[in-house]
Amino acid sequence: MPRISNALIRHARSIDKLLPPLLRPCRELRAAQNELRWLREHAAKVASTRNAKVRDTLLRNLVLERAKGKPLQYLLGSEYFGDLQITCRPGVLIPRQETAASVAYLARLVRQAEELPPELRVLDLCTGTGCIPLLFHDELAATRKDVRSRYLGIDISRDAVHLAHYNLQKVWRQKAYADKSVTAFVQADVLIDPFDDQNAGMPCFKAALNHYRQPPFWDILISNPPYISPSGYWSTTTRSVRLFEPELALLPPPNPDASDTERGDVFYPRLLSIAQHVEAKVVLLEVADLDQAHRVARLAQDADFFDGIEVWRDWPDQPNDAEPVELDGFPVIGQGNGRYVLCWRAQGAPWLGKDVVAKAETEPLSHYSLQPTFIYRPPSKIPL
Amino acid sequence: MTVAPWICRSCLSRISRPLIRQRLRYQSTAACKVSTSESISPALLARARSIAREHKGLADKLANGFDARSAKKLGEHGGVVSTLKEWEKANESLRELTSLIHDPTTDPELLSLASEDLATTRTQLADASQSLTTSLVPVHPFAHLPCLIELRPGAGGSEAAIFAGDLLRMYQAFCNRNNFRATLLKYENADGTTEAGVPLSEAILEVESGGAYGLFRCEAGVHRVQRVPATETKGRTHTSAVSVLVLPSVQENSLGEEDFEDPESDYYIDPKEVRVDVMRARGAGGQHVNTTESAVRLTHMPTNTVVAIQDARSQPKNKEKAWRLLRSRLAQARREKREEEMAAIRRSVVGVAKMGRGDKVRTYNWGQQRVTDHRSGTTVHDLDDVMEGGQTLDKVMESVRSWLMERDVEAMIAEETDAKK
Ligand SMILES: C[S@@+](CC[C@H](N)C(=O)[O-])C[C@H]1O[C@@H](n2cnc3c(N)ncnc32)[C@H](O)[C@@H]1O
């Protein structure tokens, strides 16, 4: 990373002596000025009843912590995710703008669909702060008062599940929603194979569904799992992420037999198999870049379960203005880095405004399945 | 290349619209006095008479069967017609009285009665002229909207920036005193605080109350300050300037959805013509970085209009603000363009001053403790009260509104004369 020039530091100092330390994490003057304003507002709010001296000391301490790389979101205790203010605490990953962009985009596609199931079910694996189901619901409820929806967020971390519950309470109180949607957050390990009875500690995904009396079938599956490979961790993540955000949220667990790339991809085969088990009609998986998007899209294709697959960049609502516009036959939409893989089955196509016939066009004949694509969905009163 | 199509569409095809709109909306109250004279311009009078004739025709038509459009028009013209009647009555009695007084054969008793009546009839005529004028003068089509006041320091370096801050506080205090809801949409100064005396680089104040645009549009233009700056060691008086831009502010509910969707509207923007840039995280994005960048920049490509907002931590909030600002700016540009074309039509009229960015409109002089508005020619001496947004400011603003209304009347008369040619 290029050094910050002395001229810039001097200029920043002439504006405010608290600015130069903020240049270190922010790199740019404009960004540092914004952060200083937000920190100042925060200090004023926290210390409103005390005297100016307390406030100044507080501000100075905040600036010093920020200069050491502590994320602003942990210092202020929140991050904006779409329209929602999500509480953040050290130990749980800070929600990212790119995640919000794609989740909101998906929800906006779905809410335009003419016909939706009487209860739309959305499963979020590796939920962290719970931001994804909360935003999906917020977007859906904004225009579709007629749709009841159900959300389940799952995470291995106790802190994350606690925080997700807290955010659920807070957002519902703030937004005063009037619909009858249900949201639950549950602790479970999505990597454990449900058919392997060997595990004793953390419940697997399926056991958690049973234990918490959650339905076995889900319409939409979203996940932003840990996806960074060990080499990517050291070369691509910023210092602030490495020093202050939980490794558990970023790096898939070590495995002596796996290559560097394989380790980054550990979650995807599991997520796709859960998608099949819960008979998801639409699946949206976050990835690190176009290369990983490509690998995950191929994996989804090989599962021979989906009728359409495409890749979304960071800002899927923007027109794609950069190569490639297609990866190996998978359309690439939006602007920015490769960020999401979207897979859908024929029943989910109309929710996305897609034509149902995608499969015959994009896949070679050998993949063509003679089985009917419609799958019988048992009534939900069958005991779990 | 891309300039031609939209200018043609937006300006030339829209040029006829404000005329129609203006004809439909007239001053409903005589809030601002145009003049106290009993005379009324012949052109305005002719116009009132032609309206009255049309009115009669419509009434006849209605007698033969109901027609919603005629009925509506009839209602709109009713006010003009009845005021015209009053005016004609007063005018008639004035003529009778005058001829009585000038007639040498009039007996003395009658003469003294007539002279007594003359005074009251004169006031009646003046009042009727006044209300006839107001009922004919168009209300600005956006007068009912909230507004955005944008302040930017001009010539004069940091003193201009300090004065921009003073003006901002003046408008805030004015709003506060009058119970208008005002919020800072954008505030930028050197160090990101809102402390007094800190040089300001740009501020946008939104006055959310209805009718604010009608009230504040007279504030647009260059405001000049003459004083000894705090930083001046030799005691010399400096002259600096701040430019004030006033835009009608459009929120979804103030115009109704259809105005955003309607390609004929000034506020319509084709989303395909706008490039949205969000400040991206450097590098890989996603889980790799936890950036706080939330800035949004919108570029309207055909006109190269750029707005950038970065105040809020929430990106959608910034985007929403940016769209609001872009709509207001483009609508203003389209209106100005159209007004220029109309000004060409009214070229015969001298003295129709355009209120825009370029003109020096007001001077605040500290040494003489006075404020002079160069349009209305009004000077007040309670500078402090003006700067505190007090009633003296009301007085100045009111004088400009009257002046503006006179200009509008002149312009309209010019139009009438033009139409006759
Ligand atoms: C990248 S974070 C995503 C958080 C959140 N969905 C978001 O977008 O901000 C990944 C999350 O996965 C959780 N996690 C890691 N391993 C897991 C596992 N085996 N089973 C379930 N959750 C896991 C972590 O605790 C972390 O909260």
Side-chain angles (χ1 to χ4, degrees), chain A residues 15 30 33 35 37-38 40 78 96 224-225 238 315 337 339, chain B residues 190 193 280 283-284 286-290 292 310-311 313 316:
Chain A
I15 297 171
R30 199 182 37 78
Q33 284 178 305
E35 289 205 359
R37 192 176 67 242
W38 296 325
R40 191 168 261 145
S78 70
R96 306 296 201 247
N224 173 15
T238 57
W315 318 106
N337 295 305
R339 189 58 63 213
Chain B
T193 64
R280 280 228 208 95
Q287 291 171 14
H288 306 92
V289 273
N290 53 25
T292 58
Q310 57 185 26
D311 293 22
R313 283 173 60 212

PDB file of all heavy atoms in Angstrom, chain A residues 15 30 33 35 37-38 40 78 96 224-225 238 315 337 339, chain B residues 190 193 280 283-284 286-290 292 310-311 313 316:
ATOM      1  N   ILE A  15      -6.424  21.293   8.989  1.00  0.00           N
ATOM      2  CA  ILE A  15      -7.882  21.328   9.089  1.00  0.00           C
ATOM      3  C   ILE A  15      -8.329  20.949  10.501  1.00  0.00           C
ATOM      4  O   ILE A  15      -9.148  21.618  11.115  1.00  0.00           O
ATOM      5  CB  ILE A  15      -8.515  20.365   8.063  1.00  0.00           C
ATOM      6  CG1 ILE A  15      -8.173  20.813   6.646  1.00  0.00           C
ATOM      7  CG2 ILE A  15     -10.040  20.319   8.232  1.00  0.00           C
ATOM      8  CD1 ILE A  15      -8.558  19.820   5.585  1.00  0.00           C
ATOM      9  N   ARG A  30     -11.058  12.764   2.446  1.00  0.00           N
ATOM     10  CA  ARG A  30     -12.513  12.888   2.457  1.00  0.00           C
ATOM     11  C   ARG A  30     -13.136  11.831   3.386  1.00  0.00           C
ATOM     12  O   ARG A  30     -14.013  12.125   4.192  1.00  0.00           O
ATOM     13  CB  ARG A  30     -13.032  12.701   1.035  1.00  0.00           C
ATOM     14  CG  ARG A  30     -14.402  13.219   0.762  1.00  0.00           C
ATOM     15  CD  ARG A  30     -14.763  12.897  -0.687  1.00  0.00           C
ATOM     16  NE  ARG A  30     -14.241  11.591  -1.072  1.00  0.00           N
ATOM     17  CZ  ARG A  30     -14.816  10.441  -0.727  1.00  0.00           C
ATOM     18  NH1 ARG A  30     -15.919  10.441  -0.042  1.00  0.00           N
ATOM     19  NH2 ARG A  30     -14.266   9.290  -1.077  1.00  0.00           N
ATOM     20  N   GLN A  33     -12.441  12.705   6.965  1.00  0.00           N
ATOM     21  CA  GLN A  33     -13.315  13.785   7.447  1.00  0.00           C
ATOM     22  C   GLN A  33     -14.696  13.260   7.802  1.00  0.00           C
ATOM     23  O   GLN A  33     -15.273  13.630   8.824  1.00  0.00           O
ATOM     24  CB  GLN A  33     -13.430  14.875   6.376  1.00  0.00           C
ATOM     25  CG  GLN A  33     -12.200  15.745   6.301  1.00  0.00           C
ATOM     26  CD  GLN A  33     -12.329  16.776   5.189  1.00  0.00           C
ATOM     27  OE1 GLN A  33     -12.565  16.430   4.032  1.00  0.00           O
ATOM     28  NE2 GLN A  33     -12.177  18.038   5.528  1.00  0.00           N
ATOM     29  N   GLU A  35     -15.400  10.177   8.724  1.00  0.00           N
ATOM     30  CA  GLU A  35     -15.313   9.370   9.944  1.00  0.00           C
ATOM     31  C   GLU A  35     -15.176  10.249  11.178  1.00  0.00           C
ATOM     32  O   GLU A  35     -15.773   9.970  12.219  1.00  0.00           O
ATOM     33  CB  GLU A  35     -14.151   8.368   9.844  1.00  0.00           C
ATOM     34  CG  GLU A  35     -14.443   7.254   8.851  1.00  0.00           C
ATOM     35  CD  GLU A  35     -13.676   5.974   9.145  1.00  0.00           C
ATOM     36  OE1 GLU A  35     -12.881   5.947  10.115  1.00  0.00           O
ATOM     37  OE2 GLU A  35     -13.879   4.979   8.409  1.00  0.00           O
ATOM     38  N   ARG A  37     -16.370  13.191  11.572  1.00  0.00           N
ATOM     39  CA  ARG A  37     -17.680  13.768  11.867  1.00  0.00           C
ATOM     40  C   ARG A  37     -18.566  12.766  12.592  1.00  0.00           C
ATOM     41  O   ARG A  37     -19.215  13.076  13.584  1.00  0.00           O
ATOM     42  CB  ARG A  37     -18.353  14.256  10.578  1.00  0.00           C
ATOM     43  CG  ARG A  37     -19.575  15.123  10.874  1.00  0.00           C
ATOM     44  CD  ARG A  37     -20.218  15.694   9.638  1.00  0.00           C
ATOM     45  NE  ARG A  37     -20.813  14.664   8.821  1.00  0.00           N
ATOM     46  CZ  ARG A  37     -20.447  14.384   7.577  1.00  0.00           C
ATOM     47  NH1 ARG A  37     -19.487  15.078   7.019  1.00  0.00           N
ATOM     48  NH2 ARG A  37     -21.027  13.428   6.913  1.00  0.00           N
ATOM     49  N   TRP A  38     -18.562  11.525  12.097  1.00  0.00           N
ATOM     50  CA  TRP A  38     -19.405  10.512  12.734  1.00  0.00           C
ATOM     51  C   TRP A  38     -18.943  10.205  14.156  1.00  0.00           C
ATOM     52  O   TRP A  38     -19.748  10.031  15.069  1.00  0.00           O
ATOM     53  CB  TRP A  38     -19.428   9.230  11.883  1.00  0.00           C
ATOM     54  CG  TRP A  38     -20.048   9.437  10.535  1.00  0.00           C
ATOM     55  CD1 TRP A  38     -21.090  10.274  10.242  1.00  0.00           C
ATOM     56  CD2 TRP A  38     -19.673   8.826   9.289  1.00  0.00           C
ATOM     57  NE1 TRP A  38     -21.382  10.207   8.896  1.00  0.00           N
ATOM     58  CE2 TRP A  38     -20.541   9.333   8.285  1.00  0.00           C
ATOM     59  CE3 TRP A  38     -18.697   7.898   8.907  1.00  0.00           C
ATOM     60  CZ2 TRP A  38     -20.453   8.942   6.938  1.00  0.00           C
ATOM     61  CZ3 TRP A  38     -18.618   7.502   7.578  1.00  0.00           C
ATOM     62  CH2 TRP A  38     -19.490   8.025   6.605  1.00  0.00           C
ATOM     63  N   ARG A  40     -17.351  12.261  16.088  1.00  0.00           N
ATOM     64  CA  ARG A  40     -17.660  13.430  16.905  1.00  0.00           C
ATOM     65  C   ARG A  40     -19.136  13.418  17.323  1.00  0.00           C
ATOM     66  O   ARG A  40     -19.471  13.673  18.476  1.00  0.00           O
ATOM     67  CB  ARG A  40     -17.321  14.688  16.108  1.00  0.00           C
ATOM     68  CG  ARG A  40     -17.345  15.945  16.910  1.00  0.00           C
ATOM     69  CD  ARG A  40     -16.721  17.089  16.116  1.00  0.00           C
ATOM     70  NE  ARG A  40     -15.340  17.320  16.511  1.00  0.00           N
ATOM     71  CZ  ARG A  40     -14.384  17.686  15.687  1.00  0.00           C
ATOM     72  NH1 ARG A  40     -14.628  17.817  14.393  1.00  0.00           N
ATOM     73  NH2 ARG A  40     -13.158  17.902  16.131  1.00  0.00           N
ATOM     74  N   SER A  78     -22.620   0.035  15.390  1.00  0.00           N
ATOM     75  CA  SER A  78     -23.626  -0.329  14.398  1.00  0.00           C
ATOM     76  C   SER A  78     -23.105  -0.155  12.983  1.00  0.00           C
ATOM     77  O   SER A  78     -22.079   0.481  12.750  1.00  0.00           O
ATOM     78  CB  SER A  78     -24.881   0.525  14.565  1.00  0.00           C
ATOM     79  OG  SER A  78     -24.589   1.852  14.183  1.00  0.00           O
ATOM     80  N   ARG A  96     -21.615  -6.353   5.312  1.00  0.00           N
ATOM     81  CA  ARG A  96     -20.991  -5.614   4.209  1.00  0.00           C
ATOM     82  C   ARG A  96     -22.041  -5.025   3.272  1.00  0.00           C
ATOM     83  O   ARG A  96     -23.081  -5.637   3.025  1.00  0.00           O
ATOM     84  CB  ARG A  96     -20.087  -6.537   3.393  1.00  0.00           C
ATOM     85  CG  ARG A  96     -19.032  -7.282   4.203  1.00  0.00           C
ATOM     86  CD  ARG A  96     -18.030  -6.319   4.831  1.00  0.00           C
ATOM     87  NE  ARG A  96     -16.785  -6.994   5.179  1.00  0.00           N
ATOM     88  CZ  ARG A  96     -16.333  -7.195   6.409  1.00  0.00           C
ATOM     89  NH1 ARG A  96     -17.053  -6.796   7.445  1.00  0.00           N
ATOM     90  NH2 ARG A  96     -15.174  -7.780   6.613  1.00  0.00           N
ATOM     91  N   ASN A 224     -23.975 -16.337   3.221  1.00  0.00           N
ATOM     92  CA  ASN A 224     -22.694 -15.659   3.062  1.00  0.00           C
ATOM     93  C   ASN A 224     -21.743 -16.375   4.016  1.00  0.00           C
ATOM     94  O   ASN A 224     -21.525 -15.954   5.142  1.00  0.00           O
ATOM     95  CB  ASN A 224     -22.841 -14.176   3.428  1.00  0.00           C
ATOM     96  CG  ASN A 224     -21.512 -13.452   3.458  1.00  0.00           C
ATOM     97  OD1 ASN A 224     -20.511 -13.950   2.945  1.00  0.00           O
ATOM     98  ND2 ASN A 224     -21.487 -12.266   4.063  1.00  0.00           N
ATOM     99  N   PRO A 225     -21.208 -17.524   3.579  1.00  0.00           N
ATOM    100  CA  PRO A 225     -20.403 -18.362   4.476  1.00  0.00           C
ATOM    101  C   PRO A 225     -18.953 -17.865   4.522  1.00  0.00           C
ATOM    102  O   PRO A 225     -18.591 -17.008   3.715  1.00  0.00           O
ATOM    103  CB  PRO A 225     -20.444 -19.715   3.764  1.00  0.00           C
ATOM    104  CG  PRO A 225     -20.447 -19.343   2.307  1.00  0.00           C
ATOM    105  CD  PRO A 225     -21.258 -18.065   2.212  1.00  0.00           C
ATOM    106  N   THR A 238      -7.794  -6.717   4.558  1.00  0.00           N
ATOM    107  CA  THR A 238      -7.091  -5.572   5.146  1.00  0.00           C
ATOM    108  C   THR A 238      -6.737  -5.889   6.603  1.00  0.00           C
ATOM    109  O   THR A 238      -7.313  -6.788   7.230  1.00  0.00           O
ATOM    110  CB  THR A 238      -7.947  -4.298   5.110  1.00  0.00           C
ATOM    111  OG1 THR A 238      -9.177  -4.563   5.803  1.00  0.00           O
ATOM    112  CG2 THR A 238      -8.274  -3.887   3.691  1.00  0.00           C
ATOM    113  N   TRP A 315     -22.766  -4.898  -7.427  1.00  0.00           N
ATOM    114  CA  TRP A 315     -23.946  -4.040  -7.542  1.00  0.00           C
ATOM    115  C   TRP A 315     -24.808  -4.565  -8.683  1.00  0.00           C
ATOM    116  O   TRP A 315     -24.749  -4.073  -9.806  1.00  0.00           O
ATOM    117  CB  TRP A 315     -23.535  -2.566  -7.745  1.00  0.00           C
ATOM    118  CG  TRP A 315     -22.397  -2.195  -6.848  1.00  0.00           C
ATOM    119  CD1 TRP A 315     -21.097  -1.996  -7.196  1.00  0.00           C
ATOM    120  CD2 TRP A 315     -22.447  -2.047  -5.413  1.00  0.00           C
ATOM    121  NE1 TRP A 315     -20.342  -1.728  -6.079  1.00  0.00           N
ATOM    122  CE2 TRP A 315     -21.135  -1.753  -4.978  1.00  0.00           C
ATOM    123  CE3 TRP A 315     -23.477  -2.140  -4.459  1.00  0.00           C
ATOM    124  CZ2 TRP A 315     -20.823  -1.559  -3.626  1.00  0.00           C
ATOM    125  CZ3 TRP A 315     -23.162  -1.932  -3.124  1.00  0.00           C
ATOM    126  CH2 TRP A 315     -21.856  -1.646  -2.727  1.00  0.00           C
ATOM    127  N   ASN A 337     -16.824  -6.490  -8.357  1.00  0.00           N
ATOM    128  CA  ASN A 337     -16.232  -7.823  -8.270  1.00  0.00           C
ATOM    129  C   ASN A 337     -17.311  -8.891  -8.336  1.00  0.00           C
ATOM    130  O   ASN A 337     -18.461  -8.641  -7.991  1.00  0.00           O
ATOM    131  CB  ASN A 337     -15.499  -7.976  -6.933  1.00  0.00           C
ATOM    132  CG  ASN A 337     -14.321  -7.032  -6.824  1.00  0.00           C
ATOM    133  OD1 ASN A 337     -13.445  -7.025  -7.678  1.00  0.00           O
ATOM    134  ND2 ASN A 337     -14.319  -6.220  -5.781  1.00  0.00           N
ATOM    135  N   ARG A 339     -19.563 -11.524  -6.968  1.00  0.00           N
ATOM    136  CA  ARG A 339     -19.955 -11.537  -5.560  1.00  0.00           C
ATOM    137  C   ARG A 339     -20.959 -12.604  -5.183  1.00  0.00           C
ATOM    138  O   ARG A 339     -20.946 -13.118  -4.065  1.00  0.00           O
ATOM    139  CB  ARG A 339     -20.514 -10.140  -5.195  1.00  0.00           C
ATOM    140  CG  ARG A 339     -20.758  -9.915  -3.731  1.00  0.00           C
ATOM    141  CD  ARG A 339     -19.510 -10.093  -2.887  1.00  0.00           C
ATOM    142  NE  ARG A 339     -18.468  -9.137  -3.193  1.00  0.00           N
ATOM    143  CZ  ARG A 339     -17.166  -9.418  -3.105  1.00  0.00           C
ATOM    144  NH1 ARG A 339     -16.749 -10.605  -2.719  1.00  0.00           N
ATOM    145  NH2 ARG A 339     -16.260  -8.517  -3.429  1.00  0.00           N
TER     146      ARG A 339
ATOM    147  N   ALA B 190     -14.482  23.099   6.312  1.00  0.00           N
ATOM    148  CA  ALA B 190     -13.138  22.569   6.344  1.00  0.00           C
ATOM    149  C   ALA B 190     -12.991  21.370   7.270  1.00  0.00           C
ATOM    150  O   ALA B 190     -12.392  20.368   6.908  1.00  0.00           O
ATOM    151  CB  ALA B 190     -12.176  23.674   6.718  1.00  0.00           C
ATOM    152  N   THR B 193     -17.354  20.179  11.111  1.00  0.00           N
ATOM    153  CA  THR B 193     -18.177  20.495  12.274  1.00  0.00           C
ATOM    154  C   THR B 193     -19.204  21.543  11.886  1.00  0.00           C
ATOM    155  O   THR B 193     -19.172  22.078  10.788  1.00  0.00           O
ATOM    156  CB  THR B 193     -17.348  21.073  13.435  1.00  0.00           C
ATOM    157  OG1 THR B 193     -16.810  22.312  12.989  1.00  0.00           O
ATOM    158  CG2 THR B 193     -16.268  20.123  13.846  1.00  0.00           C
ATOM    159  N   ARG B 280     -16.614   2.557  -4.000  1.00  0.00           N
ATOM    160  CA  ARG B 280     -16.310   1.149  -3.781  1.00  0.00           C
ATOM    161  C   ARG B 280     -15.194   0.985  -2.797  1.00  0.00           C
ATOM    162  O   ARG B 280     -14.296   1.809  -2.706  1.00  0.00           O
ATOM    163  CB  ARG B 280     -15.848   0.546  -5.091  1.00  0.00           C
ATOM    164  CG  ARG B 280     -17.035   0.259  -5.894  1.00  0.00           C
ATOM    165  CD  ARG B 280     -17.015  -1.110  -6.463  1.00  0.00           C
ATOM    166  NE  ARG B 280     -17.792  -0.990  -7.680  1.00  0.00           N
ATOM    167  CZ  ARG B 280     -17.212  -0.786  -8.837  1.00  0.00           C
ATOM    168  NH1 ARG B 280     -15.910  -0.776  -8.934  1.00  0.00           N
ATOM    169  NH2 ARG B 280     -17.943  -0.639  -9.893  1.00  0.00           N
ATOM    170  N   GLY B 283      -9.985  -2.650  -3.829  1.00  0.00           N
ATOM    171  CA  GLY B 283      -9.597  -4.052  -3.915  1.00  0.00           C
ATOM    172  C   GLY B 283     -10.759  -5.006  -3.949  1.00  0.00           C
ATOM    173  O   GLY B 283     -11.752  -4.782  -4.612  1.00  0.00           O
ATOM    174  N   ALA B 284     -10.606  -6.077  -3.158  1.00  0.00           N
ATOM    175  CA  ALA B 284     -11.456  -7.245  -3.344  1.00  0.00           C
ATOM    176  C   ALA B 284     -12.884  -7.078  -2.830  1.00  0.00           C
ATOM    177  O   ALA B 284     -13.783  -7.765  -3.267  1.00  0.00           O
ATOM    178  CB  ALA B 284     -10.803  -8.446  -2.665  1.00  0.00           C
ATOM    179  N   GLY B 286     -16.250  -7.271  -0.357  1.00  0.00           N
ATOM    180  CA  GLY B 286     -16.829  -8.401   0.384  1.00  0.00           C
ATOM    181  C   GLY B 286     -16.210  -8.555   1.759  1.00  0.00           C
ATOM    182  O   GLY B 286     -15.951  -7.568   2.452  1.00  0.00           O
ATOM    183  N   GLN B 287     -15.984  -9.795   2.157  1.00  0.00           N
ATOM    184  CA  GLN B 287     -15.458 -10.039   3.496  1.00  0.00           C
ATOM    185  C   GLN B 287     -14.038  -9.500   3.690  1.00  0.00           C
ATOM    186  O   GLN B 287     -13.579  -9.322   4.810  1.00  0.00           O
ATOM    187  CB  GLN B 287     -15.470 -11.555   3.794  1.00  0.00           C
ATOM    188  CG  GLN B 287     -16.888 -12.116   3.953  1.00  0.00           C
ATOM    189  CD  GLN B 287     -16.893 -13.635   4.024  1.00  0.00           C
ATOM    190  OE1 GLN B 287     -15.849 -14.271   4.207  1.00  0.00           O
ATOM    191  NE2 GLN B 287     -18.078 -14.227   3.889  1.00  0.00           N
ATOM    192  N   HIS B 288     -13.331  -9.222   2.560  1.00  0.00           N
ATOM    193  CA  HIS B 288     -11.931  -8.821   2.686  1.00  0.00           C
ATOM    194  C   HIS B 288     -11.730  -7.446   3.310  1.00  0.00           C
ATOM    195  O   HIS B 288     -10.673  -7.157   3.828  1.00  0.00           O
ATOM    196  CB  HIS B 288     -11.257  -8.818   1.305  1.00  0.00           C
ATOM    197  CG  HIS B 288     -11.397 -10.107   0.568  1.00  0.00           C
ATOM    198  ND1 HIS B 288     -12.420 -10.355  -0.315  1.00  0.00           N
ATOM    199  CD2 HIS B 288     -10.661 -11.242   0.604  1.00  0.00           C
ATOM    200  CE1 HIS B 288     -12.307 -11.575  -0.812  1.00  0.00           C
ATOM    201  NE2 HIS B 288     -11.249 -12.144  -0.262  1.00  0.00           N
ATOM    202  N   VAL B 289     -12.725  -6.583   3.209  1.00  0.00           N
ATOM    203  CA  VAL B 289     -12.575  -5.219   3.748  1.00  0.00           C
ATOM    204  C   VAL B 289     -13.826  -4.801   4.528  1.00  0.00           C
ATOM    205  O   VAL B 289     -14.936  -5.221   4.206  1.00  0.00           O
ATOM    206  CB  VAL B 289     -12.372  -4.164   2.638  1.00  0.00           C
ATOM    207  CG1 VAL B 289     -10.943  -4.018   2.261  1.00  0.00           C
ATOM    208  CG2 VAL B 289     -13.214  -4.488   1.429  1.00  0.00           C
ATOM    209  N   ASN B 290     -13.623  -3.930   5.547  1.00  0.00           N
ATOM    210  CA  ASN B 290     -14.793  -3.431   6.279  1.00  0.00           C
ATOM    211  C   ASN B 290     -14.896  -1.920   6.144  1.00  0.00           C
ATOM    212  O   ASN B 290     -14.950  -1.184   7.107  1.00  0.00           O
ATOM    213  CB  ASN B 290     -14.727  -3.846   7.750  1.00  0.00           C
ATOM    214  CG  ASN B 290     -13.415  -3.456   8.388  1.00  0.00           C
ATOM    215  OD1 ASN B 290     -12.758  -2.525   7.928  1.00  0.00           O
ATOM    216  ND2 ASN B 290     -13.026  -4.156   9.428  1.00  0.00           N
ATOM    217  N   THR B 292     -15.960   1.980   5.411  1.00  0.00           N
ATOM    218  CA  THR B 292     -17.110   2.777   5.856  1.00  0.00           C
ATOM    219  C   THR B 292     -17.588   3.703   4.747  1.00  0.00           C
ATOM    220  O   THR B 292     -18.387   4.588   4.969  1.00  0.00           O
ATOM    221  CB  THR B 292     -16.729   3.657   7.061  1.00  0.00           C
ATOM    222  OG1 THR B 292     -15.645   4.500   6.670  1.00  0.00           O
ATOM    223  CG2 THR B 292     -16.329   2.818   8.237  1.00  0.00           C
ATOM    224  N   GLN B 310     -22.349  12.276   0.699  1.00  0.00           N
ATOM    225  CA  GLN B 310     -21.600  11.331   1.531  1.00  0.00           C
ATOM    226  C   GLN B 310     -21.837  11.555   3.022  1.00  0.00           C
ATOM    227  O   GLN B 310     -21.118  11.041   3.849  1.00  0.00           O
ATOM    228  CB  GLN B 310     -20.118  11.480   1.235  1.00  0.00           C
ATOM    229  CG  GLN B 310     -19.645  12.900   1.467  1.00  0.00           C
ATOM    230  CD  GLN B 310     -18.203  13.086   1.060  1.00  0.00           C
ATOM    231  OE1 GLN B 310     -17.690  12.387   0.216  1.00  0.00           O
ATOM    232  NE2 GLN B 310     -17.542  14.020   1.719  1.00  0.00           N
ATOM    233  N   ASP B 311     -22.864  12.336   3.351  1.00  0.00           N
ATOM    234  CA  ASP B 311     -23.042  12.719   4.754  1.00  0.00           C
ATOM    235  C   ASP B 311     -23.455  11.575   5.657  1.00  0.00           C
ATOM    236  O   ASP B 311     -23.002  11.466   6.785  1.00  0.00           O
ATOM    237  CB  ASP B 311     -24.125  13.798   4.872  1.00  0.00           C
ATOM    238  CG  ASP B 311     -23.685  15.084   4.228  1.00  0.00           C
ATOM    239  OD1 ASP B 311     -22.790  15.006   3.367  1.00  0.00           O
ATOM    240  OD2 ASP B 311     -24.214  16.128   4.591  1.00  0.00           O
ATOM    241  N   ARG B 313     -24.058   7.626   7.016  1.00  0.00           N
ATOM    242  CA  ARG B 313     -23.323   6.371   6.991  1.00  0.00           C
ATOM    243  C   ARG B 313     -24.063   5.348   6.154  1.00  0.00           C
ATOM    244  O   ARG B 313     -23.498   4.353   5.732  1.00  0.00           O
ATOM    245  CB  ARG B 313     -23.155   5.845   8.418  1.00  0.00           C
ATOM    246  CG  ARG B 313     -22.079   6.584   9.197  1.00  0.00           C
ATOM    247  CD  ARG B 313     -22.075   6.138  10.645  1.00  0.00           C
ATOM    248  NE  ARG B 313     -21.810   4.723  10.760  1.00  0.00           N
ATOM    249  CZ  ARG B 313     -22.309   3.943  11.708  1.00  0.00           C
ATOM    250  NH1 ARG B 313     -23.101   4.435  12.626  1.00  0.00           N
ATOM    251  NH2 ARG B 313     -22.022   2.673  11.742  1.00  0.00           N
ATOM    252  N   PRO B 316     -28.024   3.780   1.162  1.00  0.00           N
ATOM    253  CA  PRO B 316     -29.332   4.083   0.563  1.00  0.00           C
ATOM    254  C   PRO B 316     -29.832   5.487   0.923  1.00  0.00           C
ATOM    255  O   PRO B 316     -30.436   6.155   0.096  1.00  0.00           O
ATOM    256  CB  PRO B 316     -30.258   3.015   1.151  1.00  0.00           C
ATOM    257  CG  PRO B 316     -29.391   1.949   1.660  1.00  0.00           C
ATOM    258  CD  PRO B 316     -28.057   2.548   1.958  1.00  0.00           C
TER     259      PRO B 316
END
